Amino acid sequence: MKKRSSIVALFACVLGVVALVLAGCGGGGSTESSSTSSTNESAATSTKGSYTLVKDGTLTCVSELGFAPFEYLEAGSTEPIGYDIDVANEIAKRLGLSCSFLPSQDFDSLVPTIKEGGKADIAIAGITISDDRAKEIDFSDPYFESNLALIVKSDSKETAETLNAKDKKVACQTGTTGDAWIEENLPDAEKVPLTDISAGLAGVSTGSYDAYVVDLPVAKKNLSDSFTDLTILEEIATGEQYGIAVSKNNPELTKAINGALAEMQSDGTLQKIWDKWMVEADVPEE
Ligand code: ARG
């Protein structure tokens, strides 16, 4: 509950920003159908719809598809599903585009892929907005608020303090905020960065690693679906916000996505997608 109201508050903020932007450039003109109401000399510099796409008519998306409930593949399927997949499809629909996902890529390759360009229009992968990443790519407005979770075996006696020791192995997904958290907060432990989250969690199950750090909704989903022998030792209140990554060369696409997200917030679509995918679980606070 608490989480949901903070997301609503977050979006109230986002909407406020969007409203300000619209008020700032309104100038009395219609916000749609600039083709009939505007006499801009060049279509390429018009303010609406002048984004580029890797493939005409399609929003081409890239992700790391091992991050349930945001993006994942069910056994035997190549069709990604999850919260982010629904968000991407809905954005595409509102922009009059179809939506397609490329095969899964390692998480730490997503921002570089968008920066390089030519392969995908957006990366949507529960990517936490950060200053470092924002140097490489543009982020959409935030569309989800999250924290981290510290996961251990249910019968483990560890605490966040005892884990900060030379003989302790704490695993994470390479290049994530969990990776950075271990580095900063458990400097004495051995950090084990891995590409695949379920392999890391399996390693905690079998005793190869003492703990795992990952986004809280992903911890809840994995622990309730598959890793029932693991538990969340602590919720880590990082207050992260997820954004969609877009090339800095494509600012009009970011604007169009922000427009769609604001609509999806105000008409309840984001809440519906939340209700469909999020798993409730009791979690001890930090
Ligand atoms: N939110 C975290 C981050 O941005 C983890 C995201 C991992 N996403 C994924 N699809 N594997 O670093």
Side-chain angles (χ1 to χ4, degrees), residues 100-120:
S100 90
F101 272 81
L102 299 176
S104 185
Q105 283 187 202
D106 289 354
F107 180 72
D108 59 354
S109 75
L110 298 176
V111 166
T113 293
I114 295 302
K115 186 181 178 183
E116 257 160 50
K119 205 170 163 193

Side-chain angles (χ1 to χ4, degrees), residues 25-230:
C25 21
S30 144
T31 54
E32 296 292 341
S33 58
S34 55
S35 55
T36 52
S37 62
S38 117
T39 51
N40 277 356
E41 332 70 81
S42 145
T45 58
S46 86
T47 51
K48 254 211 130 99
S50 56
Y51 48 76
T52 60
L53 293 169
V54 168
K55 189 169 165 238
D56 268 355
T58 300
L59 186 66
T60 306
C61 311
V62 68
S63 192
E64 191 278 329
L65 299 173
F67 199 61
F70 293 96
E71 45 266 334
Y72 60 110
L73 299 167
E74 265 170 341
S77 164
T78 53
E79 201 59 47
I81 55 169
Y83 181 101
D84 284 347
I85 310 300
D86 283 0
V87 168
N89 271 290
E90 189 64 36
I91 290 172
K93 194 167 105 195
R94 286 171 196 240
L95 301 186
L97 304 170
S98 61
C99 181
S100 90
F101 272 81
L102 299 176
S104 185
Q105 283 187 202
D106 289 354
F107 180 72
D108 59 354
S109 75
L110 298 176
V111 166
T113 293
I114 295 302
K115 186 181 178 183
E116 257 160 50
K119 205 170 163 193
D121 302 308
I122 66 167
I124 181 163
I127 306 175
T128 300
I129 297 172
S130 76
D131 291 345
D132 276 355
R133 291 171 180 167
K135 286 184 196 134
E136 314 293 320
I137 46 88
D138 282 343
F139 278 109
S140 70
D141 288 331
Y143 68 92
F144 194 92
E145 196 171 271
S146 187
N147 284 326
L148 292 178
L150 186 56
I151 299 170
V152 293
K153 214 146 174 206
S154 303
D155 57 6
S156 162
K157 304 260 165 354
E158 301 291 352
T159 66
E161 288 70 38
T162 63
L163 283 168
N164 190 26
K166 266 211 307 290
D167 60 332
K168 299 295 156 68
K169 290 195 171 101
V170 184
C172 58
Q173 187 173 47
T174 312
T176 58
T177 49
D179 187 330
W181 185 87
I182 298 170
E183 199 139 322
E184 276 162 38
N185 296 280
L186 302 175
D188 293 340
E190 180 185 339
K191 185 184 77 178
V192 185
L194 305 161
T195 52
D196 186 46
I197 291 175
S198 35
L201 291 173
V204 180
S205 266
T206 56
S208 304
Y209 314 123
D210 299 287
Y212 195 87
V213 182
V214 71
D215 301 47
L216 181 66
V218 177
K220 287 179 179 173
K221 172 80 175 157
N222 277 276
L223 269 48
S224 84
D225 282 6
S226 338
F227 295 95
T228 48
D229 59 331
L230 303 183

Side-chain angles (χ1 to χ4, degrees), residues 194-275:
L194 305 161
T195 52
D196 186 46
I197 291 175
S198 35
L201 291 173
V204 180
S205 266
T206 56
S208 304
Y209 314 123
D210 299 287
Y212 195 87
V213 182
V214 71
D215 301 47
L216 181 66
V218 177
K220 287 179 179 173
K221 172 80 175 157
N222 277 276
L223 269 48
S224 84
D225 282 6
S226 338
F227 295 95
T228 48
D229 59 331
L230 303 183
T231 188
I232 296 173
L233 176 65
E234 209 169 82
E235 170 171 357
I236 306 164
T238 46
E240 301 173 35
Q241 297 180 337
Y242 295 170
I244 296 167
V246 184
S247 163
K248 286 191 182 290
N249 297 327
N250 210 359
E252 293 302 326
L253 181 59
T254 309
K255 273 190 214 159
I257 289 171
N258 286 341
L261 282 174
E263 266 177 36
M264 287 158 65
Q265 170 58 24
S266 57
D267 69 13
T269 304
L270 278 180
Q271 181 65 50
K272 271 204 203 106
I273 299 176
W274 202 102
D275 293 340

